[in-house]
Amino acid sequence: MAIRTLETLGDLAGRTVLIRCDFNVPLEDGRITDEGRIVASLPTLRALLEQGAKVVAMSHLGRPKGAPEERYSLAPVAARLGELLGQEVAFATDTVGEDAQRVRIALQDGQLALLENLRFDPRETSKDAGERAELAAELAAGADVFVSDGFGVVHREQASVFEVAQALPSAAGLLVAKELEVLSRLTESPERPYAVVLGGSKVSDKLGVIEHLLPRVDRLVIGGGMLFTFLKALGHDVASSLLEEDQVERVLGYMKQAEELGVQLLLPTDVVVAESFSADAAHETVAADAIGGSRFGAKGIGLDIGPDSAAAFAEAIRTSRTVFWNGPMGVFEMPAFAHGTKAVAQALTEVDGLAVVGGGDSAAAVRGLGFDDAAFGHISTGGGASLEFLEGARLPGLEVLGW
Ligand code: 3PG
Ligand code: MG
């Protein structure tokens, strides 16, 4: 079924629109280090404001535990959003409390307000549907319609994503519609060869994804923190590298399955091993089966794929017609360990076909390494959401919009 789009909500002039955005951006000392998700939200916000709607935006930031915490405040986002839109953004210092009421009542047509972090209220992420519905009703009070535009959270069954869409007439915003259009090209007959490149540090999260993707792809490229669990499964000593010992069996199963399916599984053949986890740590490149034999012995930590691996990965990517990439290859925040990620990003810009970067970390990595957004076919604002979409999972935040 097709998702309900903005037009289905009719004329929004003078109406109060509640919109869920994903403003979960990385912050360092209150400074936004990657504003990609804010920029991605602008087309929908502008479309609503230009129609003369009163717009109340809401989002989460980070994972606070159901109570206010200064470091997770959305105040810096409100300020940046105002600069990008060139108009004032009224900021409510609470989510459904007195200040939120005050801000809503003061809104004029064509004006925008942002509520404080939704996850300061424990009901947002409650396992109890009744509690979530209660918060959703409070959020919906006084609003005429709901627009869901936080693609990064559509895989979450949370009050501001799921229940609120049932409490009001609801539709997808322009960002969600665009993400679906592009990501659907990956799930519905992708041009082949189709390569998926996985990295990042959330090892067990990604292992689940592999299971679902193996039957769909031609090439699966593995880097980042999870590669050591694969090397371990091959019987190699990984010294002090990130390892999920309890996943080794599972990984072996994937290797066998890849072989049966004829999927090309690319693992690194060399690794950059460091003496410690720090930007200026001594380091050397060793063969992937010789990490334990580096000059750092059992202390050695693999922090990036090596140059041979980077070249092989780049070649596999460049010669594919459809590529999806999620997760950095190494600790790209430290220049000494950013080469693998940079090589993969560069190769994605050279794909003759569709190259998609998925996820907050990978998007931040490509921008942080100096690549231009326009060099890629698409940079998804969804991390977990885009992965789950590719897996073909049921996403509550999309289903509730008629998808
Ligand atoms: C993300 O960063 O992937 C989204 O904003 C969702 O955040 P969450 O994983 O904390 O639900
Ligand atoms: Mg996440």
Side-chain angles (χ1 to χ4, degrees):
M1 262 224 304
I3 200 149
R4 292 193 295 280
T5 54
L6 274 187
E7 305 79 72
T8 65
L9 297 175
D11 182 8
L12 297 173
R15 308 190 80 201
T16 299
V17 178
L18 181 65
I19 179 169
R20 175 59 155 106
C21 298
D22 182 2
F23 293 140
N24 185 23
V25 291
L27 286 172
E28 246 173 60
D29 305 321
R31 194 176 53 88
I32 298 164
T33 54
D34 177 42
E35 62 186 29
R37 282 177 165 167
I38 305 178
V39 171
S41 75
L42 298 176
T44 309
L45 292 174
R46 286 203 180 101
L48 297 171
L49 294 168
E50 276 163 17
Q51 283 187 61
K54 301 177 174 75
V55 181
V56 178
M58 53 181 180
S59 176
H60 74 290
L61 177 78
R63 292 180 175 174
K65 306 249 167 321
E69 253 185 275
E70 182 61 33
R71 67 188 168 122
Y72 292 123
S73 173
L74 280 167
V77 170
R80 186 62 188 136
L81 189 56
E83 287 169 10
L84 290 166
L85 284 169
Q87 76 177 73
E88 204 197 321
V89 175
F91 183 63
T93 56
D94 57 25
T95 314
V96 284
E98 271 176 31
D99 206 47
Q101 300 302 337
R102 176 190 64 78
V103 162
R104 280 170 188 241
I105 291 165
L107 267 191
Q108 303 292 316
D109 294 359
Q111 290 186 345
L112 171 67
L114 175 63
L115 305 178
E116 184 53 289
N117 195 334
L118 288 156
R119 292 186 186 171
F120 286 176
D121 190 315
R123 295 173 296 177
E124 166 69 356
T125 56
S126 173
K127 298 235 177 324
D128 180 337
E131 286 181 8
R132 294 197 307 268
E134 193 186 283
L135 174 60
E138 288 175 31
L139 289 166
D144 297 301
V145 299
F146 171 65
V147 173
S148 179
D149 214 28
F151 181 72
V153 285
V154 294
H155 59 319
R156 302 281 182 230
E157 192 162 328
Q158 296 175 348
S160 67
V161 178
F162 188 73
E163 279 79 12
V164 83
Q166 296 174 317
L168 289 169
S170 57
L174 302 174
L175 175 62
V176 164
K178 180 176 154 213
E179 293 266 13
L180 289 180
E181 184 200 311
V182 177
L183 294 176
S184 296
R185 289 167 59 194
L186 301 179
T187 53
E188 293 156 17
S189 57
E191 250 197 279
R192 293 181 182 276
Y194 174 22
V196 169
V197 185
L198 296 176
S201 55
K202 292 179 193 164
V203 183
S204 8
D205 283 19
K206 298 278 167 61
L207 290 178
V209 175
I210 294 173
E211 185 167 342
H212 294 271
L213 286 177
L214 271 176
R216 302 165 189 246
V217 303
D218 304 301
R219 296 170 180 167
L220 185 63
V221 181
I222 304 285
M226 90 183 108
L227 76 88
F228 303 102
T229 303
F230 279 80
L231 295 182
K232 182 78 180 182
L234 289 172
H236 305 329
D237 176 2
V238 299
S240 295
S241 307
L242 192 63
L243 170 67
E244 294 207 5
E245 192 80 60
D246 56 343
Q247 302 291 341
V248 167
E249 274 306 306
R250 210 166 145 201
V251 163
L252 266 176
Y254 295 150
M255 291 176 165
K256 209 173 137 238
Q257 202 191 337
E259 206 178 314
E260 284 163 9
L261 292 166
V263 172
Q264 197 187 342
L265 181 66
L266 279 96
L267 294 174
T269 52
D270 58 351
V271 172
V272 181
V273 179
E275 186 168 25
S276 64
F277 188 91
S278 67
D280 54 3
H283 54 273
E284 68 174 349
T285 300
V286 299
D289 60 0
I291 296 175
S294 87
R295 65 182 157 106
F296 314 115
K299 273 203 310 188
I301 312 176
L303 295 185
D304 194 11
I305 58 172
D308 290 350
S309 313
F313 286 10
E315 178 66 11
I317 292 166
R318 229 183 278 121
T319 55
S320 295
R321 303 282 295 187
T322 308
V323 183
F324 176 81
W325 171 38
N326 179 290
M329 296 293 103
V331 188
F332 73 94
E333 298 89 339
M334 304 177 184
F337 312 113
H339 301 290
T341 302
K342 207 167 187 166
V344 162
Q346 178 64 40
L348 259 94
T349 68
E350 293 162 11
V351 171
D352 180 14
L354 177 63
V356 178
V357 181
D361 285 356
S362 320
V366 299
R367 294 191 191 104
L369 292 171
F371 289 92
D372 187 347
D373 283 29
F376 303 92
H378 179 66
I379 298 187
S380 175
T381 55
S386 59
L387 282 173
E388 289 195 25
F389 185 85
L390 290 196
E391 285 174 32
R394 155 195 174 272
L395 304 186
L398 296 180
E399 279 197 343
V400 76
L401 304 174
W403 176 262

